[in-house]
Amino acid sequence: MPEELNLIRLLAPDLYEELLLRALLLGRVAALQPIGRRQLAEKLKLSEREVRRAAALLKDEGFLVMDTSGMSVTGKAGGIMKEVGELSRSIRGLVEMEKGLSRLLGVERVHIAAGDADEDESVLADVGKLAAQEIRGLIRHGQTIAVTGGATMANMVRYLPNGGKMNVMVIPARSGPGRPVKTQSNTLAAEMAQKLGGHHRFMYLPEQMDQKALEELMKHPGVKENMDLLQRTDIIIHGVGRADTMLRQLNLDTHLIRTLLTRGAVAEAYGYFFDINGSILYHMSGVGVRMDALSSDCRLIGIAAGKSKAEAIIAVLRQGRHDMIITDEGAAKEILARLSNE
């Protein structure tokens, strides 16, 4: 925490709490506008009276407008939202939290969005914005980027800024649909390539197939070319799923589901299932990333949000090195609590 904020906390704790409330309220209104005071109070788990009082003060200062549709931020507020966000991060201790997670998880770069996506769905959009901002700064001309599917990944792509044409190739990290069309890896690869002004490839192949069928498919020039691209990829951006949830969604054999859960499966990422120690318990057949054949220069970036994902995030990061993880406050606090007790 910056010295000035710490001094305010010591000398005027009431002012410190008021700063936190106003920064939090302004940030949430900006993300959800227009929004009513009652609805906002429910999302922030505050009394409607607290929200009404703080909102009235922000309105008097010219930062909020209110009408029948709810509260919205003004142009004056828009000009300081970046600074408000940083203030909120400092007060909530997110910077220190990032440093702590980086040390405990062995990940060089950790970025945390305020809130818990399990309690407030709008936090998922904040995680997507944060991820889009950080990932866009990493991408360079000539790179190949592999992406998985899922709602969190869809938010990252949604908020990825449009830019000039880049000579990049975006490909799905796994074959097979297995999700609603708008969150499938094929869809997200195409949208991401469009925003970057690059190119993309599709992989419309079954997620699960027997070994003989897979071997035959691998002889097809188009499939082989996609696999070669995957193994030479420069960046893999992936979501993290809870094993129990993913096992149900993928409609796997009942006996296999029971076996994996009994063996302690807690996480799924890019077609692999892991236990809490990061050991691989099962790899789904199909065309996709092979972790044992990736280039040592490939950068792995994980994106996941919500307290319920904490165990899954720990497992995936223990499996192997990651260059970056983007998550939310809910997951971060739970991870820190779990790892601090070990």
Side-chain angles (χ1 to χ4, degrees):
M1 183 184 298
E3 287 186 20
E4 294 85 353
L5 280 177
N6 194 40
L7 187 60
I8 292 172
R9 182 177 65 84
L10 293 171
L11 293 178
D14 54 334
L15 178 58
Y16 180 82
E17 291 299 324
E18 184 65 22
L19 272 172
L20 175 57
L21 175 60
R22 294 193 199 184
L24 178 63
L25 192 148
L26 203 55
R28 288 292 82 203
V29 172
L32 302 168
Q33 62 185 334
I35 183 170
R37 288 172 300 195
R38 180 177 298 176
Q39 185 182 3
L40 184 61
E42 290 174 355
K43 286 186 174 294
L44 295 179
K45 298 191 181 307
L46 296 170
S47 70
E48 191 175 347
R49 180 180 178 182
E50 286 179 287
V51 170
R52 185 186 302 112
R53 181 189 59 78
L57 291 169
L58 287 168
K59 177 178 179 293
D60 290 343
E61 295 298 328
F63 294 118
L64 287 182
V65 292
M66 302 179 190
D67 56 29
T68 54
S69 62
M71 298 179 289
S72 301
V73 297
T74 62
K76 181 180 179 180
I80 62 167
M81 285 313 300
K82 182 178 180 181
E83 290 78 5
V84 169
E86 289 304 314
L87 173 64
S88 182
R89 282 171 52 77
S90 295
I91 293 176
R92 296 176 78 131
L94 297 187
V95 175
E96 291 304 313
M97 214 178 288
E98 289 170 346
K99 293 177 181 177
L101 279 185
S102 175
R103 183 179 67 257
L104 289 170
L105 295 171
V107 179
E108 182 180 349
R109 299 175 64 177
V110 176
H111 301 284
I112 301 171
D116 185 343
D118 286 350
E119 298 179 354
D120 182 356
E121 289 184 3
S122 67
V123 173
L124 205 59
D126 293 337
V127 172
K129 291 175 186 176
L130 183 58
Q133 173 187 322
E134 296 300 328
I135 289 168
R136 184 62 183 82
L138 292 178
I139 299 172
R140 299 290 181 267
H141 287 279
Q143 290 184 324
T144 299
I145 304 154
V147 296
T148 64
T152 310
M153 291 293 297
N155 271 285
M156 181 276 294
V157 174
R158 175 187 176 189
Y159 291 107
L160 196 69
N162 288 295
K165 287 190 175 182
M166 298 184 74
N167 181 28
V168 296
M169 175 65 73
V170 188
I171 55 177
R174 289 290 298 168
S175 63
R179 296 178 185 273
V181 174
K182 65 180 181 180
T183 61
Q184 286 178 16
S185 56
N186 279 308
T187 303
L188 299 184
E191 291 179 0
M192 188 171 183
Q194 183 179 27
K195 288 198 168 187
L196 295 173
H199 314 279
H200 68 275
R201 293 284 184 88
F202 284 139
M203 282 201 291
Y204 286 121
L205 297 168
E207 184 73 64
Q208 287 277 68
M209 63 187 82
D210 61 46
Q211 189 60 34
K212 186 175 180 180
L214 182 59
E215 289 173 1
E216 288 300 313
L217 270 175
M218 289 300 295
K219 296 176 183 178
H220 188 281
V223 176
K224 186 177 185 306
E225 187 177 358
N226 278 343
M227 273 302 293
D228 289 342
L229 275 172
L230 271 175
Q231 299 314 132
R232 297 197 313 269
T233 192
D234 298 290
I235 302 174
I236 295 177
I237 310 169
H238 68 86
V240 176
R242 286 171 47 121
D244 54 354
T245 302
M246 295 307 298
L247 285 167
R248 287 194 299 270
Q249 287 182 2
L250 293 168
N251 294 317
L252 297 178
D253 177 75
T254 303
H255 176 70
L256 176 60
I257 293 175
R258 189 181 303 114
T259 299
L260 288 174
L261 292 177
T262 300
R263 292 179 63 193
V266 298
E268 184 277 335
Y270 35 81
Y272 289 80
F273 285 87
F274 309 95
D275 66 16
I276 189 60
N277 297 312
S279 299
I280 297 173
L281 300 180
Y282 180 69
H283 180 208
M284 297 179 64
S285 61
V287 177
V289 170
R290 286 180 49 210
M291 299 307 296
D292 59 345
L294 282 176
S295 163
S296 59
D297 296 327
C298 179
R299 309 185 76 168
L300 266 70
I301 300 172
I303 311 174
K307 179 181 178 179
S308 62
K309 291 283 187 76
E311 194 174 43
I313 294 170
I314 294 171
V316 170
L317 296 186
R318 280 176 171 170
Q319 188 277 326
R321 50 99 183 159
H322 270 68
D323 298 88
M324 184 188 299
I325 181 75
I326 300 105
T327 187
D328 67 4
E329 189 177 1
K333 284 181 176 179
E334 184 68 13
I335 292 170
L336 286 170
R338 286 172 179 256
L339 296 183
S340 297
N341 292 328
E342 291 185 356

